[in-house]
Amino acid sequence: MVNSVVVVGGGTAGWMTASYLTAAFGDRISVTLVESDRVGTIGVGEATFSTVRHFFEYLGLAEQDWMPACNATYKLAIRFENWREPGHHFYHPFERQRVVDGFTLPDWWLSSPSSDRFDKDCFLVGTLCDNLKSPRHMDGSLFEGDLNGTRSTYRTTLSEQTTQFPYAYHFDASLLADYLRDYGVARGVRHVVDDVVEVKQDERGWISHVVTKRHGDLTGDLFIDCTGFRSLLLGKTMAEPFESYQDSLPNDSAVALRVPLDMANRGLRPCTTATAQEAGWIWTIPLFDRIGTGYVYASDYSSPEQAERRLREFVGPAAESLEANHIRMRIGRSRRHWVGNCVAIGLASGFVEPLESTGIFFIQNAIEQLVKHFPDARWEEGLRDSYNQLISRCMDGVREFLVVHYYAARRQDNQYWRDTKTRPLPDGLAERLERWRTRLPDAETVYPHYHGFESYSYVCMLLGLGGLDLKASPALALLDSSSAQHEFKLVAEQAAELERTLPTQYEYFAQFH
């Protein structure tokens, strides 16, 4: 049997992995995590999307348990600013499309728009974000009870994501790693704080043990590489090739700031904001005690000094004297993510720029798939092949979705944005884009393999970005639109009622602090 697992590297990836494996298998396997106190974590991955709730649910953690400790807040959407033109914004919400007479509400809207805000006309979440609202009432009840579904009596995973949960989280990634460390250690994870100075392999090329500076050799059956972009085990030791995405996603750098602010006065907008810039975009993530912000940019179009200067200008006086964190990103994925007895999870496995907050999702998906494909003493090759295929397809799908963000954006005011229209497209995307011009994306016409995003996400991006000439279905001109008009009216009425009755997000979380 595979009885012992060694996780090399801490941070969010390492501690999510160790805590989940312990929650899944209990004392039937031993889990050791070794991390250096001299190697800092990137710690800027502070936004998620709604599937992450399954991770905390699987660990048995209620929001009141972990959110205050991590200064966490709710995220209902991503707000895209200036991607179409200066001053324009729209929301990509965690909210599925309503369907009337066989056509989605965005289909009806495209046929006869009642305003220039599809996101406010077709969805509720945009109104909540504009008004800084919490998705929960002060008693903890969700704003739309039917969206919550029937709570399972068993632990759920991504496979049970049958309904669209209306929010994700923002959190301090460093605090979350600390919280999960305490959770894991209390449940039997062996925590070794030391430097790994060498990785030893046996005659097969599999990892036999890692050598630490003060604790000697750490042996195990399965080794998990959570060493970030360094990819110490999979990349450097196992020499697994890396496949770059930079031909289609050129943003390879970021500079980040942690900005303490009076959030009671500022308010907590329940969304991540992505503001388009001259060479990329700036994220704004509201936590309970501060904002996290950073400029994701392409080094071919901006120097680090230019990017930092622009970020400080964007933040304003609050950025003075704050130390900036410069990050060089490795955009792409490993050809395989599981080689021999080594599995890479997190940045060691692959990464795309954080435009849709997929870093934590990639970690969660990899952990869940590892549990489903966990080997025994036979080390079946089919398990490894299946795992590698699923993880690669997921990352490739996210790559395609992000390419759509740039290709379909109307903005073309400088060379960076003009070049987004001429870069190579992933295989199959050009055909899909052509089809979407005459029919909005649906489950049959988006990237066919699981990657975390449904067809409504593509619809929201195409309608919001404004760079493609989209045509409504001709059939809608022949149909009676009265039912659709009633549904538009219902959305407006429900949004107004929620605006009136829900507390602000700051009011909701203040009761837990």
Side-chain angles (χ1 to χ4, degrees):
M1 292 295 294
V2 174
N3 296 314
S4 59
V5 176
V6 177
V7 180
V8 180
T12 312
W15 284 110
M16 283 182 69
T17 300
S19 60
Y20 197 94
L21 291 177
T22 299
F25 298 130
D27 60 4
R28 292 174 290 281
I29 65 169
S30 68
V31 178
T32 298
L33 185 146
V34 55
E35 62 178 333
S36 172
D37 56 5
R38 299 189 304 109
V39 178
T41 59
I42 290 179
V44 298
E46 298 169 326
T48 58
F49 58 83
S50 61
T51 53
V52 75
R53 72 184 177 96
H54 296 291
F55 173 83
F56 294 104
E57 190 175 270
Y58 198 90
L59 268 58
L61 294 173
E63 291 179 352
Q64 292 84 351
D65 295 334
W66 70 271
M67 289 187 75
C70 301
N71 288 322
T73 60
Y74 291 134
K75 171 189 172 183
L76 282 68
I78 298 178
R79 175 183 169 112
F80 288 88
E81 296 183 347
N82 303 340
W83 286 71
R84 179 188 289 226
E85 59 195 13
H88 178 270
H89 78 271
F90 70 95
Y91 291 101
H92 170 200
F94 295 124
E95 183 178 352
R96 284 179 175 160
Q97 306 165 108
R98 303 182 188 205
V99 178
V100 178
D101 292 343
F103 289 85
T104 68
L105 215 51
D107 277 314
W108 287 102
W109 182 91
L110 184 61
S111 175
S112 181
S114 55
S115 77
D116 63 350
R117 290 295 303 276
F118 82 92
D119 51 346
K120 300 284 285 290
D121 292 340
C122 300
F123 301 97
L124 299 172
V125 162
T127 296
L128 304 189
C129 291
D130 278 348
N131 292 279
L132 313 186
K133 293 296 185 177
S134 164
R136 292 190 180 274
H137 294 279
M138 294 299 287
D139 64 1
S141 60
L142 197 63
F143 75 88
E144 282 285 348
D146 59 341
L147 290 178
N148 200 15
T150 302
R151 184 174 178 83
S152 300
T153 57
Y154 53 88
R155 297 182 298 186
T156 61
T157 67
L158 293 171
S159 300
E160 288 78 61
Q161 181 79 4
T162 56
T163 60
Q164 177 57 69
F165 201 67
Y167 64 76
Y169 305 108
H170 303 124
F171 49 69
D172 185 312
S174 298
L175 292 179
L176 179 66
D178 291 346
Y179 188 92
L180 294 177
R181 176 198 63 207
D182 295 343
Y183 173 98
V185 169
R187 288 158 179 79
V189 175
R190 180 190 177 198
H191 183 204
V192 176
V193 180
D194 205 344
D195 297 330
V196 172
V197 295
E198 193 173 1
V199 181
K200 291 289 190 177
Q201 295 170 277
D202 63 19
E203 64 280 357
R204 299 172 296 175
W206 290 27
I207 297 174
S208 58
H209 60 280
V210 296
V211 182
T212 65
K213 183 178 291 186
R214 297 181 300 276
H215 291 76
D217 297 346
L218 298 179
T219 61
D221 300 315
L222 178 67
F223 290 81
I224 301 181
D225 186 348
C226 294
T227 61
F229 289 133
R230 292 185 302 145
S231 192
L232 176 63
L233 274 60
L234 186 71
K236 293 186 177 178
T237 301
M238 308 296 283
E240 182 63 16
F242 185 79
E243 299 183 351
S244 175
Y245 289 164
Q246 280 206 245
D247 60 336
S248 54
L249 292 173
N251 292 348
D252 59 359
S253 303
V255 54
L257 293 170
R258 297 182 172 213
V259 187
L261 291 171
D262 182 352
M263 301 305 286
N265 287 326
R266 177 187 174 92
L268 295 173
R269 180 177 282 160
C271 61
T272 302
T273 300
T275 306
Q277 298 294 314
E278 292 78 6
W281 57 278
I282 288 177
W283 79 76
T284 304
I285 296 175
L287 304 182
F288 188 77
D289 63 335
R290 64 173 174 86
I291 64 166
T293 186
Y295 188 178
V296 177
Y297 63 96
S299 60
D300 287 343
Y301 298 82
S302 173
S303 69
E305 294 76 20
Q306 290 171 324
E308 180 176 339
R309 183 165 59 250
R310 176 65 193 115
L311 177 62
R312 291 185 183 277
E313 292 170 353
F314 182 84
V315 173
E320 292 180 10
S321 76
L322 296 180
E323 182 179 356
N325 180 17
H326 286 268
I327 305 158
R328 185 76 175 187
M329 302 183 297
R330 189 179 68 148
I331 304 301
R333 63 169 175 83
S334 299
R335 183 173 299 172
R336 294 174 297 173
H337 315 273
W338 180 353
V339 178
N341 64 338
C342 174
V343 177
I345 290 179
L347 302 180
S349 168
F351 185 67
V352 297
E353 61 171 276
L355 184 54
E356 284 283 352
S357 310
T358 50
I360 301 293
F361 164 69
F362 283 156
I363 296 169
Q364 180 189 3
N365 184 52
I367 298 167
E368 289 192 10
Q369 291 300 337
L370 178 59
V371 168
K372 292 177 180 180
H373 293 79
F374 204 78
D376 59 15
R378 294 172 296 179
W379 292 93
E380 297 283 1
E381 193 68 30
L383 289 175
R384 277 194 294 267
D385 291 345
S386 174
Y387 178 91
N388 285 325
Q389 182 183 66
L390 290 169
I391 300 303
S392 292
R393 283 176 170 176
C394 181
M395 291 186 178
D396 290 347
V398 172
R399 173 199 191 182
E400 178 168 308
F401 184 49
L402 296 194
V403 169
V404 171
H405 289 54
Y406 293 97
Y407 183 86
R410 183 184 297 173
R411 181 167 182 161
Q412 297 190 55
D413 58 337
N414 67 7
Q415 195 60 46
Y416 172 88
W417 287 97
R418 287 190 289 273
D419 288 348
T420 62
K421 312 301 181 287
T422 60
R423 293 195 179 95
L425 298 176
D427 291 344
L429 180 55
E431 179 183 347
R432 283 190 271 274
L433 286 164
E434 195 59 34
R435 185 175 299 176
W436 296 338
R437 293 178 190 273
T438 54
R439 184 177 178 186
L440 290 180
D442 59 25
E444 300 300 319
T445 61
V446 298
Y447 182 81
H449 306 295
Y450 177 75
H451 59 296
F453 293 99
E454 300 178 21
S455 59
Y456 84 85
S457 292
Y458 289 80
V459 169
C460 289
M461 296 313 301
L462 294 182
L463 291 175
L465 291 166
L468 294 185
D469 181 20
L470 303 175
K471 295 179 174 61
S473 171
L476 292 173
L478 303 175
L479 294 176
D480 181 358
S481 67
S482 57
S483 294
Q485 296 307 317
H486 177 269
E487 196 65 28
F488 283 123
K489 182 181 178 184
L490 182 61
V491 170
E493 291 172 350
Q494 290 175 337
E497 178 67 9
L498 293 173
E499 181 183 347
R500 186 183 67 82
T501 58
L502 285 171
T504 67
Q505 178 159 220
Y506 190 88
E507 289 170 339
Y508 179 78
F509 281 111
Q511 66 181 323
F512 302 118
H513 286 263

